[in-house]
Amino acid sequence: MAAFWQQRGRRQENGGLGSVIDGLGSVFDVLLANARLVLGVSGAAVLAIATLAVKRLIDRATSPRDEGDPKAEQKSLEESWQDLALIKATPKPPKKQRREDLSEPLLSPARPLVPGEAPDARGCSVPLGAPQVKPSPLRCLTLQEKLLSHSSQLAVPEIQASLVPQLARSICTQLQNFLRSKCPELPFGRFFLSGALLDGLEVLAADHIHLMLPVVLDTGLWSLISGEDTVVRNPQYWMIKRIDLGYFPRGCSPWDRFIVGRYLSSSVLNETLHKLLVASINWPAIGGLLGCAIHPVVASRELKLEVKHDQIELNITLFPVVEMEDKVLLAVPPEGLVENLWLESFYRAEVSRVKELDASDSGVRQLCLRILNGVCRSQPSLHKLGGSPVTHIILHLSDTASDWAEESLADRFQQVLEELVASLEKGVLLSYFNPKINLFSGLLEEEIDEMGFVLYRAISEPELLL
């Protein structure tokens, strides 16, 4: 290192390097004098900083060294690294803008620091001691707010809400006209539609509706027998018995042709109607008249029609229905050998009671029911909980929880989930209108376990269902 400095000193004595440095110095002076005119203020400042660093390096290189000072070489190196750091820290002048860069958004230039100010987290300068404005955190929604927001997303599309009932009523009229002309001896009542869509409880999509076919019976020839008094021992079902055959033999009632063992058979009636729907009705002609395609579902135990329109796809399920002794009985026999059973339906009473309670206290039972129906519809494992089971839970809670105002929607929703889990744990959900009926009696153990697991998790995190 000492030999290096001695050699550099000899070059200085020869005058070669000195003359070059003098020339460079004069060039730098000229550049600095004219930089403001050529480069502007910011460009001149950049050039001045870089020039100063280079001149300091040159000055130290040309100045005489004290060979006796052992720290001279170390000090020179430290100053050189500081100058290099100064050069690297100098901001580069902006490059000349290209034509293709004109379409890119420009960032606003940063304001230079002023003494007494400190840069904030975004690179902008703020006065020292000034209060720091923190960005407001994202607002967390409460369960109440999430439920109200979710309920607005459950509405059936307007086109479906208006078109489905209209199309279903047209099909209903065509079917009734056909049965009156094909089977005039069978006294069907006036056909009517039923379902959650018509009662304002349908959610997400109007893709199914019920068509009721009233079976008019002479009460002097028929009587009801509870399922509890039969071999099935199930109070949810009823049998319709033909009476006084000694005085009014077979043939006195037009429905005697559907008797099996002195009981009106729901299975035989369904089979007869199924044959008429599949083989006798000209559905292509009716569909062409109504602007849609109608197909009866052949491989189904239910009486079902599939309707395809340009804007909707709809399933219509037909139910022969008997109304006797304040009972509404549907021709829906359970699977098995017993074919004479009629299922008691509480749907009309359920909807009527929920609306009556809401009207008395301006409650949100219907809103809570719509949200829960939407949850059960969107969760495949909860499909069988939708409709009657959820409605009966809400009706039971209405007897104990009196506050059903909108502000209590989250509390009531949480309480319904807890009651459902408790009922699934016991495998028992008693009917609100007949405590002898267990609404879970038709569920498999695996289905109960799966539904219970999903709802148990949702008790601690109800948002999982939304």
Side-chain angles (χ1 to χ4, degrees), residues 348-411:
R348 187 185 302 172
E350 294 165 4
V351 174
S352 176
R353 182 58 177 165
V354 169
K355 291 185 176 182
E356 178 185 346
L357 291 172
D358 273 352
S360 64
D361 59 7
S362 301
V364 290
R365 296 170 184 84
Q366 295 175 76
L367 176 59
C368 186
L369 180 57
R370 282 197 297 270
I371 295 174
L372 289 166
N373 282 340
V375 167
C376 294
R377 185 181 178 116
S378 60
Q379 298 276 346
S381 60
L382 301 179
H383 280 179
K384 292 188 176 182
L385 276 185
S388 285
V390 172
T391 306
H392 284 251
I393 285 285
I394 291 177
L395 291 176
H396 282 302
L397 283 178
S398 297
D399 292 340
T400 56
S402 58
D403 185 7
W404 284 88
E406 184 175 307
E407 296 77 12
S408 303
L409 176 60
D411 295 335

Side-chain angles (χ1 to χ4, degrees), residues 1-191:
M1 183 63 73
F4 170 76
W5 292 114
Q6 292 175 2
Q7 185 177 3
R8 190 176 68 168
R10 287 194 296 270
R11 290 178 182 176
Q12 293 173 357
E13 292 173 359
N14 291 336
L17 183 60
S19 60
V20 173
I21 291 173
D22 293 338
L24 289 175
S26 61
V27 172
F28 289 152
D29 293 337
V30 172
L31 289 175
L32 292 175
N34 296 278
R36 183 168 184 177
L37 296 176
V38 177
L39 301 177
V41 177
S42 60
V46 172
L47 181 60
I49 295 174
T51 303
L52 177 61
V54 174
K55 287 185 67 177
R56 287 170 60 184
L57 288 173
I58 295 174
D59 290 342
R60 282 197 297 272
T62 56
S63 61
R65 309 294 298 182
D66 186 3
E67 296 183 1
D69 187 2
K71 298 182 179 180
E73 297 180 4
Q74 180 66 25
K75 183 178 179 181
S76 176
L77 289 175
E78 292 177 357
E79 292 175 349
S80 299
W81 285 114
Q82 293 174 0
D83 294 336
L84 289 176
L86 178 62
I87 295 175
K88 290 183 178 180
T90 303
K92 297 181 180 179
K95 64 179 181 179
K96 184 178 180 180
Q97 194 174 33
R98 299 176 298 174
R99 183 184 299 270
E100 54 269 21
D101 295 336
L102 295 178
S103 61
E104 298 178 0
L106 298 178
L107 298 176
S108 58
R111 183 169 62 87
L113 292 176
V114 178
E117 291 184 348
D120 63 2
R122 297 171 295 177
C124 301
S125 58
V126 295
L128 290 176
Q132 301 291 330
V133 179
K134 297 182 180 180
S136 58
L138 293 177
R139 182 168 173 264
C140 296
L141 297 178
T142 63
L143 177 59
Q144 174 81 9
E145 293 169 329
K146 290 180 180 179
L147 288 173
L148 293 175
S149 175
H150 182 71
S151 65
S152 63
Q153 304 172 10
L154 298 176
V156 175
E158 185 177 354
I159 184 63
Q160 295 184 14
S162 60
L163 183 57
V164 166
Q166 179 182 352
L167 185 58
R169 287 190 180 97
S170 298
I171 295 174
C172 177
T173 301
Q174 293 295 326
L175 180 59
Q176 179 149 29
N177 292 337
F178 169 80
L179 289 178
R180 283 179 176 175
S181 61
K182 183 71 174 180
C183 309
E185 74 281 1
L186 296 179
F188 285 104
R190 185 175 181 82
F191 295 6

Side-chain angles (χ1 to χ4, degrees), residues 238-240 258 260-261 263-267 333 338-342:
W238 293 78
M239 300 183 76
I240 304 176
F258 303 105
V260 175
Y263 296 97
L264 182 62
S265 174
S266 54
S267 297
V338 182
E339 56 183 14
N340 298 333
L341 295 178
W342 293 70

Side-chain angles (χ1 to χ4, degrees), residues 300-445:
S300 173
R301 296 181 69 250
E302 296 179 317
L303 304 175
K304 185 174 292 186
L305 301 174
E306 292 181 347
V307 181
K308 293 185 178 180
H309 190 270
D310 291 339
Q311 297 173 306
I312 59 171
E313 291 188 3
L314 174 66
N315 288 326
I316 300 179
T317 306
L318 284 67
F319 291 102
V321 55
V322 171
E323 297 189 34
M324 286 183 63
E325 301 177 9
D326 298 328
K327 304 288 190 302
V328 179
L329 307 178
L330 304 181
V332 184
E335 296 184 4
L337 299 177
V338 182
E339 56 183 14
N340 298 333
L341 295 178
W342 293 70
L343 176 67
E344 183 173 7
S345 172
F346 298 101
Y347 176 77
R348 187 185 302 172
E350 294 165 4
V351 174
S352 176
R353 182 58 177 165
V354 169
K355 291 185 176 182
E356 178 185 346
L357 291 172
D358 273 352
S360 64
D361 59 7
S362 301
V364 290
R365 296 170 184 84
Q366 295 175 76
L367 176 59
C368 186
L369 180 57
R370 282 197 297 270
I371 295 174
L372 289 166
N373 282 340
V375 167
C376 294
R377 185 181 178 116
S378 60
Q379 298 276 346
S381 60
L382 301 179
H383 280 179
K384 292 188 176 182
L385 276 185
S388 285
V390 172
T391 306
H392 284 251
I393 285 285
I394 291 177
L395 291 176
H396 282 302
L397 283 178
S398 297
D399 292 340
T400 56
S402 58
D403 185 7
W404 284 88
E406 184 175 307
E407 296 77 12
S408 303
L409 176 60
D411 295 335
R412 299 290 81 79
F413 181 83
Q414 185 87 24
Q415 196 172 4
V416 169
L417 296 182
E418 294 172 357
E419 291 296 325
L420 281 172
V421 170
S423 298
L424 288 169
E425 286 178 346
K426 297 181 294 185
V428 176
L429 174 58
L430 300 181
S431 168
Y432 181 80
F433 301 99
N434 185 354
K436 296 180 180 180
I437 296 176
N438 176 18
L439 298 180
F440 287 166
S441 61
L443 296 178
L444 300 176
E445 185 176 352

